[in-house]
Amino acid sequence: MSPNTNTYTGMVVLIFVHLYCMTLLTSSESELIECIPSEREALLRFKHHLTDPSNRLSSWNASNPNCCHWDYVVCSHLTFHVLHLHLNTTLSSEYDEYPFPIAVPLAYERSRFSGAINDSVVELKHLNYLDLSGNSFGGMQFPTFLFRITSLTHLDLSASGFYGNIPHQIGNLSNLLHLDLSYVAYGKLPHQIGNLTNLIHLGTSHMLY
């Protein structure tokens, strides 16, 4: 075997060992992520006020204390704070060609969250992504406390069932990059929306006045 071949083989082995070690390290870091107890309690209170007919939040329970491993929750690998809540409900792709709202399938109806939005979510001081779209909070006006979560960069309330004018407190969310209020009943944007100077996307399609 030539020296060049030996060198090439050695490099391949080193690369393989490096990738294997990185995989083990990443896996170990993921296992070590342990959520902050006060944030876990805030999430449990938030869940308590939701109606979850298909039990999508079954992993959110006290016997499973690491909320960073709960469904729909994303935590920071560095600080362990809760960063994302992906609590949206979406139609399957086969219904994408239909306008919303429509007579939606029963399975979709049963998977939608409803009930009340508890203000414990405000205790998630590092939350930057909140998606409540596609749910069924019908008859509920916009919870003004949502607009006290000034860490948010992404807020999606589209087709969530909220109604009424958008609270002027929305102007507090100066870090927002993405805001979607599409399919909001009787929604009217306050002039404070102009305070959101960092916005890259503002969704207002099919707002029902």
Side-chain angles (χ1 to χ4, degrees):
M1 185 178 293
S2 69
N4 287 340
T5 301
N6 287 333
T7 300
Y8 175 77
T9 302
M11 290 179 62
V12 170
V13 170
L14 285 174
I15 291 172
F16 176 80
V17 170
H18 175 73
L19 292 175
Y20 179 72
C21 290
M22 289 298 293
T23 300
L24 289 178
L25 180 61
T26 302
S27 176
S28 298
E29 288 177 346
S30 177
E31 291 299 319
L32 289 173
I33 293 176
E34 188 75 31
C35 78
I36 295 170
S38 61
E39 296 189 353
R40 177 179 64 242
E41 295 306 311
L43 289 174
L44 288 174
R45 293 199 305 277
F46 186 82
K47 175 191 175 181
H48 178 73
H49 289 82
L50 285 179
T51 300
D52 179 15
S54 59
N55 204 24
R56 290 169 58 190
L57 300 182
S58 59
S59 62
W60 295 32
N61 62 78
S63 63
N64 180 18
N66 192 351
C67 65
C68 291
H69 291 170
W70 291 356
D71 293 336
Y72 314 113
V73 177
V74 176
C75 292
S76 167
H77 285 249
L78 297 176
T79 66
F80 312 141
H81 285 295
V82 174
L83 300 181
H84 292 193
L85 290 180
H86 297 265
L87 298 175
N88 56 306
T89 306
T90 57
L91 283 167
S92 63
S93 58
E94 63 187 289
Y95 298 98
D96 285 349
E97 69 272 20
Y98 294 100
F100 194 97
I102 60 171
V104 291
L106 184 59
Y108 170 69
E109 283 286 0
R110 288 178 175 170
S111 67
R112 299 167 81 186
F113 296 118
S114 59
I117 301 295
N118 186 258
D119 62 1
S120 62
V121 70
V122 177
E123 298 174 30
L124 305 176
K125 301 296 185 183
H126 298 265
L127 187 68
N128 58 50
Y129 188 109
L130 178 60
D131 190 347
L132 296 172
S133 63
N135 289 304
S136 185
F137 300 110
M140 182 188 299
Q141 294 195 9
F142 286 93
T144 56
F145 56 78
L146 288 181
F147 306 114
R148 287 165 31 206
I149 311 175
T150 55
S151 55
L152 286 174
T153 60
H154 181 114
L155 178 61
D156 194 338
L157 301 176
S158 61
S160 53
F162 294 121
Y163 81 97
N165 291 334
I166 313 301
H168 66 85
Q169 290 92 339
I170 197 169
N172 297 333
L173 304 184
S174 58
N175 291 313
L176 275 184
L177 302 174
H178 177 106
L179 174 63
D180 201 334
L181 300 169
S182 303
Y183 299 100
V184 171
Y186 309 109
K188 183 178 180 181
L189 293 175
H191 67 83
Q192 287 85 356
I193 201 80
N195 296 345
L196 309 183
T197 56
N198 292 316
L199 268 185
I200 296 172
H201 172 80
L202 174 60
T204 58
S205 64
H206 297 85
M207 290 183 71
L208 308 176
Y209 297 100

